[in-house]
Amino acid sequence: MQLCNIQNNMRKLRFNHDEMTQQELAKNIGVTRQTIIAIESRKYSPTLELAFKIADVFQVPLEEIFQYKPKQ
């Protein structure tokens, strides 16, 4: 499976927020734990709405969580 071009810092942010679990993050934004796993492993690009929800949970700008890296 090919990785998407969107990199993220979700795992690091979860750790820095009282070691939040994938399940806790999923519950906070209304998705399944499998969705969080797929986003963190770059197998799934979140929708814009979902990206904003994640940023809201961590109280940081989108750019601090997600970075677009075009293919070389």
Side-chain angles (χ1 to χ4, degrees):
M1 178 178 277
Q2 187 172 351
L3 299 179
C4 65
N5 293 345
I6 298 177
Q7 297 178 348
N8 68 78
N9 296 316
M10 286 174 44
R11 185 175 178 151
K12 181 174 80 173
L13 287 166
R14 283 191 307 100
F15 182 80
N16 291 336
H17 279 78
D18 296 325
E19 298 185 15
M20 179 186 293
T21 66
Q22 291 172 328
Q23 184 62 45
E24 290 170 328
L25 178 57
K27 183 178 178 184
N28 285 331
I29 62 174
V31 298
T32 65
R33 180 175 164 263
Q34 287 75 20
T35 299
I36 300 301
I37 292 168
I39 294 170
E40 285 187 358
S41 63
R42 297 178 48 208
K43 294 179 181 171
Y44 173 74
S45 296
T47 64
L48 187 55
E49 181 179 2
L50 186 55
F52 275 109
K53 287 180 179 180
I54 294 167
D56 188 49
V57 167
F58 294 122
Q59 294 293 293
V60 296
L62 283 176
E63 306 85 43
E64 195 168 321
I65 303 171
F66 299 102
Q67 302 82 38
Y68 176 74
K69 303 290 183 186
K71 292 183 180 177
Q72 301 284 338

